[in-house]
Amino acid sequence: MFDNCWSRSIEGGRLEDPAFHPPEDIYAWTVSASAAPDEPRELVIGFEKGVPVSLDGERLDGYSLIRKLNEIAGACGVGRNDMIEDRILGLKAREVYEHPAATVLLKAHADLERLVLTRQELSFKSIVDEKWSELGYMGLVDEPLFKALSAFVDTTQERVNGNVDLVLYKGCVTVAGRSAKEAIYSDDLVSFESTTIDQNDAVGFSAYYGFQARLLAQLRK
């Protein structure tokens, strides 16, 4: 068993049988969804350069924020994970994790990124995130590629500044709203009643978009 403020891993014993149902008494940070309060818990996470810095308007250092959020989210039944992992040497292992704060923060962070990063940045970052995580899991933090990927991630986080409103309820985390000064979003442009752009411009675009795929479909007929 390994504990820190970010995640808690539970393994060994009968848990090595992937068909075994974990008993409730192995969990220390979370309650079951059925035992969570019947009233939802609302909270707000503030980010600066991709880093969570405040909880419900109170500015906290990283350690304090995670510890406090662990208590709040864990009491709502949020943050359990029972999974089969592929270890580096090729063995499959069953792991049970508790990570209440991490579950909430990752959900909020990803949502805020979608508000401030471009479509191309988000698409490429999903690839970077997967490879970065793989290298970190393998302990290859001195690998030049790891440093290069980290530099890309750091660049994207310069604009990840804002607040995310969330609702925690019986094991679920739902984003209720988000705001950011650098949001790539325009109420006027996205509105169906917008007078700033001419929606007829989309007609010509639509005629050419996917042209090759439609042509191929015709040829196959």
Side-chain angles (χ1 to χ4, degrees):
M1 184 179 296
F2 175 72
D3 295 271
N4 59 35
C5 72
W6 184 253
S7 67
R8 179 173 179 269
S9 174
I10 313 163
E11 56 188 274
R14 294 196 65 187
L15 289 177
E16 292 179 355
D17 177 1
F20 174 68
H21 294 202
E24 193 62 30
D25 61 10
I26 69 171
Y27 298 102
W29 291 0
T30 59
V31 302
S32 66
S34 60
D38 293 329
E39 293 298 320
R41 172 65 157 86
E42 298 181 2
L43 52 84
V44 181
I45 306 292
F47 290 87
E48 290 181 4
K49 295 185 177 180
V51 177
V53 296
S54 66
L55 175 59
D56 290 334
E58 179 185 4
R59 195 171 184 88
L60 299 167
D61 63 84
Y63 181 80
S64 299
L65 190 150
I66 291 173
R67 288 299 297 265
K68 188 171 183 178
L69 190 54
N70 263 342
E71 295 177 5
I72 295 172
C76 294
V78 170
R80 290 186 179 183
N81 193 17
D82 183 344
M83 61 183 293
I84 302 297
E85 290 185 352
D86 284 304
R87 290 180 173 169
I88 296 173
L89 298 179
L91 297 173
K92 287 188 179 292
R94 194 264 191 91
E95 300 279 356
V96 177
Y97 291 99
E98 288 185 287
H99 37 70
T103 301
V104 175
L105 292 174
L106 291 173
K107 177 92 171 183
H109 181 265
D111 187 85
L112 188 57
E113 282 190 323
R114 284 192 287 273
L115 183 64
V116 301
L117 300 183
T118 67
R119 178 191 300 177
Q120 296 301 326
E121 284 179 312
L122 290 168
S123 176
F124 186 68
K125 189 172 182 294
S126 66
I127 301 171
V128 171
D129 288 346
E130 182 175 354
K131 189 63 179 179
W132 186 94
S133 300
E134 177 188 330
L135 292 173
Y137 179 77
M138 292 180 175
L140 298 177
V141 295
D142 291 325
E143 162 65 42
L145 178 59
F146 183 82
K147 295 181 180 180
L149 296 177
S150 296
F152 168 78
V153 172
D154 289 343
T155 299
T156 64
Q157 298 310 293
E158 290 291 327
R159 304 199 310 278
V160 184
N161 307 297
N163 294 320
V164 181
D165 307 329
L166 303 116
V167 178
L168 313 185
Y169 182 67
K170 291 190 176 294
C172 297
V173 183
T174 304
V175 175
R178 73 291 288 167
S179 61
K181 290 182 179 180
E182 297 167 284
I184 308 176
Y185 191 94
S186 168
D187 293 341
D188 175 47
L189 294 178
V190 78
S191 171
F192 290 112
E193 286 77 37
S194 174
T195 58
T196 304
I197 60 175
D198 185 352
Q199 299 203 19
N200 288 322
D201 292 342
V203 175
F205 170 80
S206 300
Y208 285 93
Y209 189 74
F211 179 79
Q212 291 185 354
R214 295 198 302 273
L215 180 59
L216 179 60
Q218 292 175 2
L219 290 174
R220 286 177 173 173
K221 291 180 181 179

